Amino acid sequence: NAGVTQTPKFRVLKTGQSMTLLCAQDMNHEYMYWYRQDPGMGLRLIHYSVGEGTTAKGEVPDGYNVSRLKKQNFLLGLESAAPSQTSVYFCASSYSYGGHTQYFGPGTRLTVL
Amino acid sequence: AQRVTQPEKLLSVFKGAPVELKCNYSYSGSPELFWYVQYSRQRLQLLLRHISRESIKGFTADLNKGETSFHLKKPFAQEEDSAMYYCALQTTSGSRLTFGEGTQLTVNP
């Protein structure tokens, strides 16, 4: 099993450009999450999904959109990138909630100039 | 709303010394608590969770509801323990984890 994979690994954008980050998991997990990791701020939840076709906002959703059209995929979109969105983005998945382990992807390092 | 605080951003110890990474939380209910670890160039992974009451790689953590703490301890640190450690809280009815700011542990030879 590949576990959780993320595409791409690195990306540089100019302010105002758009892009989509792809997260895929092969563990048949119901729950999927997008986090951003910034120095001194830990991991902050952007959006999450509790099942195919559902999405919900996390702590820092502004400037991002998500979609979960298939159970195994969770897409994170930036419609108009800003320098404040320079970060490392992590995707995670879990079987369910209530104590179930979250499994993380390797991360995507995004720089917005 | 729940909150997790890790007061030390950086922690440096010598090999063989005891290490304690502090984690405090605020939540009015009964939380599920976790420690996640990120080694250099690796993805974040679960280290341990309080409901399992297990020891992983020599690390233990006890939930102290009176002090609302979940400190991570190891009696004899090893160089391979150098990593970023995150404490995380999940509410019993929630589907999300709330992470602390993280503590970068360095174990010196």
Side-chain angles (χ1 to χ4, degrees), chain A residues 99-101, chain B residues 33-34 46-54 70:
Chain A
H100 286 273
T101 302
Chain B
L33 284 155
F34 304 80
L46 177 69
L47 179 62
L48 56 80
R49 51 184 177 172
H50 91 274
I51 57 173
S52 299
R53 302 185 68 82
E54 56 195 348
F70 188 56

Side-chain angles (χ1 to χ4, degrees), chain A residues 31 33 45 48 50 94 96-100 102, chain B residues 2 27 30-32 34 89-98:
Chain A
Y31 287 60
Y33 311 82
L45 184 65
Y48 65 104
V50 301
S94 66
S96 183
Y97 64 92
H100 286 273
Q102 288 192 17
Chain B
Q2 62 271 18
Y27 175 57
S30 292
E32 303 278 357
F34 304 80
L89 178 152
Q90 187 168 48
T91 63
T92 50
S93 60
S95 53
R96 317 157 19 155
L97 282 175
T98 299

Side-chain angles (χ1 to χ4, degrees), chain A residues 2-10 19-25 32-36 43 46 72-74 76 87-93 103-110, chain B residues 38 43-44:
Chain A
V4 180
T5 59
Q6 292 182 231
T7 316
K9 289 186 169 52
F10 304 93
M19 78 163 294
T20 300
L21 282 68
L22 170 64
C23 175
Q25 53 93 6
M32 297 186 75
Y33 311 82
W34 275 108
Y35 295 91
R36 59 178 290 172
L43 276 80
I46 304 171
Q72 63 268 35
N73 295 338
F74 195 30
L76 177 71
S87 187
V88 180
Y89 292 86
F90 287 98
C91 176
S93 71
Y103 293 86
F104 283 80
T108 295
R109 186 173 295 275
L110 174 66
Chain B
Q38 188 177 26
R43 64 185 70 193
L44 205 68

